[in-house]
PDB file of all heavy atoms in Angstrom:
ATOM      1  N   VAL H 242     297.624-122.238 -57.546  1.00 86.00           N
ATOM      2  CA  VAL H 242     298.692-123.111 -57.077  1.00 86.00           C
ATOM      3  C   VAL H 242     299.522-123.725 -58.198  1.00 86.00           C
ATOM      4  O   VAL H 242     300.648-124.126 -57.958  1.00 86.00           O
ATOM      5  CB  VAL H 242     298.190-124.207 -56.114  1.00 86.00           C
ATOM      6  CG1 VAL H 242     297.979-123.640 -54.735  1.00 86.00           C
ATOM      7  CG2 VAL H 242     296.939-124.862 -56.618  1.00 86.00           C
ATOM      8  N   SER H 243     298.958-123.806 -59.432  1.00 86.00           N
ATOM      9  CA  SER H 243     299.814-124.300 -60.512  1.00 86.00           C
ATOM     10  C   SER H 243     299.254-123.876 -61.862  1.00 86.00           C
ATOM     11  O   SER H 243     298.157-123.331 -61.949  1.00 86.00           O
ATOM     12  CB  SER H 243     299.933-125.828 -60.443  1.00 86.00           C
ATOM     13  OG  SER H 243     298.870-126.429 -61.163  1.00 86.00           O
ATOM     14  N   ASP H 244     300.013-124.115 -62.909  1.00 86.00           N
ATOM     15  CA  ASP H 244     299.552-123.735 -64.249  1.00 86.00           C
ATOM     16  C   ASP H 244     298.722-124.812 -64.903  1.00 86.00           C
ATOM     17  O   ASP H 244     298.184-124.637 -65.992  1.00 86.00           O
ATOM     18  CB  ASP H 244     300.759-123.393 -65.140  1.00 86.00           C
ATOM     19  CG  ASP H 244     301.392-122.085 -64.703  1.00 86.00           C
ATOM     20  OD1 ASP H 244     300.664-121.283 -64.055  1.00 86.00           O
ATOM     21  OD2 ASP H 244     302.587-121.865 -64.969  1.00 86.00           O
ATOM     22  N   LYS H 245     298.657-125.962 -64.273  1.00 86.00           N
ATOM     23  CA  LYS H 245     297.805-127.028 -64.800  1.00 86.00           C
ATOM     24  C   LYS H 245     296.359-126.693 -64.479  1.00 86.00           C
ATOM     25  O   LYS H 245     296.044-126.304 -63.359  1.00 86.00           O
ATOM     26  CB  LYS H 245     298.161-128.362 -64.128  1.00 86.00           C
ATOM     27  CG  LYS H 245     299.136-129.198 -64.938  1.00 86.00           C
ATOM     28  CD  LYS H 245     298.971-130.675 -64.637  1.00 86.00           C
ATOM     29  CE  LYS H 245     299.422-130.952 -63.219  1.00 86.00           C
ATOM     30  NZ  LYS H 245     299.245-132.289 -62.746  1.00 86.00           N
ATOM     31  N   PRO H 246     295.459-126.850 -65.411  1.00 85.00           N
ATOM     32  CA  PRO H 246     294.062-126.479 -65.146  1.00 85.00           C
ATOM     33  C   PRO H 246     293.346-127.525 -64.284  1.00 85.00           C
ATOM     34  O   PRO H 246     292.487-128.250 -64.762  1.00 85.00           O
ATOM     35  CB  PRO H 246     293.441-126.356 -66.532  1.00 85.00           C
ATOM     36  CG  PRO H 246     294.298-127.193 -67.417  1.00 85.00           C
ATOM     37  CD  PRO H 246     295.665-127.233 -66.831  1.00 85.00           C
ATOM     38  N   ASP H 247     293.698-127.603 -63.008  1.00 84.00           N
ATOM     39  CA  ASP H 247     293.057-128.554 -62.106  1.00 84.00           C
ATOM     40  C   ASP H 247     291.728-128.035 -61.582  1.00 84.00           C
ATOM     41  O   ASP H 247     290.797-128.791 -61.352  1.00 84.00           O
ATOM     42  CB  ASP H 247     293.969-128.808 -60.890  1.00 84.00           C
ATOM     43  CG  ASP H 247     295.158-129.652 -61.266  1.00 84.00           C
ATOM     44  OD1 ASP H 247     295.026-130.424 -62.248  1.00 84.00           O
ATOM     45  OD2 ASP H 247     296.195-129.550 -60.591  1.00 84.00           O
ATOM     46  N   ASN H 248     291.697-126.753 -61.374  1.00 86.00           N
ATOM     47  CA  ASN H 248     290.491-126.168 -60.823  1.00 86.00           C
ATOM     48  C   ASN H 248     290.341-124.768 -61.395  1.00 86.00           C
ATOM     49  O   ASN H 248     290.561-123.777 -60.731  1.00 86.00           O
ATOM     50  CB  ASN H 248     290.612-126.131 -59.289  1.00 86.00           C
ATOM     51  CG  ASN H 248     289.320-125.697 -58.637  1.00 86.00           C
ATOM     52  OD1 ASN H 248     288.254-125.753 -59.257  1.00 86.00           O
ATOM     53  ND2 ASN H 248     289.410-125.217 -57.408  1.00 86.00           N
ATOM     54  N   PRO H 249     289.961-124.720 -62.710  1.00 90.00           N
ATOM     55  CA  PRO H 249     289.958-123.421 -63.384  1.00 90.00           C
ATOM     56  C   PRO H 249     288.936-122.463 -62.781  1.00 90.00           C
ATOM     57  O   PRO H 249     287.844-122.862 -62.405  1.00 90.00           O
ATOM     58  CB  PRO H 249     289.609-123.748 -64.837  1.00 90.00           C
ATOM     59  CG  PRO H 249     289.321-125.185 -64.892  1.00 90.00           C
ATOM     60  CD  PRO H 249     289.548-125.812 -63.573  1.00 90.00           C
ATOM     61  N   ALA H 250     289.345-121.209 -62.700  1.00 91.00           N
ATOM     62  CA  ALA H 250     288.452-120.210 -62.135  1.00 91.00           C
ATOM     63  C   ALA H 250     288.743-118.869 -62.800  1.00 91.00           C
ATOM     64  O   ALA H 250     289.870-118.599 -63.218  1.00 91.00           O
ATOM     65  CB  ALA H 250     288.672-120.104 -60.631  1.00 91.00           C
ATOM     66  N   ILE H 251     287.707-118.059 -62.931  1.00 92.00           N
ATOM     67  CA  ILE H 251     287.922-116.709 -63.460  1.00 92.00           C
ATOM     68  C   ILE H 251     287.289-115.700 -62.511  1.00 92.00           C
ATOM     69  O   ILE H 251     286.319-116.002 -61.811  1.00 92.00           O
ATOM     70  CB  ILE H 251     287.318-116.541 -64.878  1.00 92.00           C
ATOM     71  CG1 ILE H 251     285.861-117.025 -64.888  1.00 92.00           C
ATOM     72  CG2 ILE H 251     288.149-117.261 -65.920  1.00 92.00           C
ATOM     73  CD1 ILE H 251     285.132-116.726 -66.164  1.00 92.00           C
ATOM     74  N   PHE H 252     287.868-114.511 -62.510  1.00 92.00           N
ATOM     75  CA  PHE H 252     287.288-113.439 -61.729  1.00 92.00           C
ATOM     76  C   PHE H 252     286.526-112.540 -62.682  1.00 92.00           C
ATOM     77  O   PHE H 252     287.083-111.967 -63.598  1.00 92.00           O
ATOM     78  CB  PHE H 252     288.388-112.657 -61.005  1.00 92.00           C
ATOM     79  CG  PHE H 252     287.851-111.731 -59.965  1.00 92.00           C
ATOM     80  CD1 PHE H 252     287.446-112.207 -58.724  1.00 92.00           C
ATOM     81  CD2 PHE H 252     287.731-110.363 -60.228  1.00 92.00           C
ATOM     82  CE1 PHE H 252     286.946-111.346 -57.766  1.00 92.00           C
ATOM     83  CE2 PHE H 252     287.221-109.501 -59.264  1.00 92.00           C
ATOM     84  CZ  PHE H 252     286.828-109.989 -58.030  1.00 92.00           C
ATOM     85  N   VAL H 253     285.210-112.459 -62.447  1.00 92.00           N
ATOM     86  CA  VAL H 253     284.357-111.750 -63.400  1.00 92.00           C
ATOM     87  C   VAL H 253     283.817-110.479 -62.760  1.00 92.00           C
ATOM     88  O   VAL H 253     283.397-110.483 -61.608  1.00 92.00           O
ATOM     89  CB  VAL H 253     283.175-112.647 -63.836  1.00 92.00           C
ATOM     90  CG1 VAL H 253     282.291-111.926 -64.832  1.00 92.00           C
ATOM     91  CG2 VAL H 253     283.677-113.950 -64.403  1.00 92.00           C
TER      92      VAL H 253
END
Side-chain angles (χ1 to χ4, degrees):
Chain H
V242 281
S243 87
D244 289 337
K245 264 207 292 176
D247 287 334
N248 187 19
I251 51 172
F252 192 78
V253 180

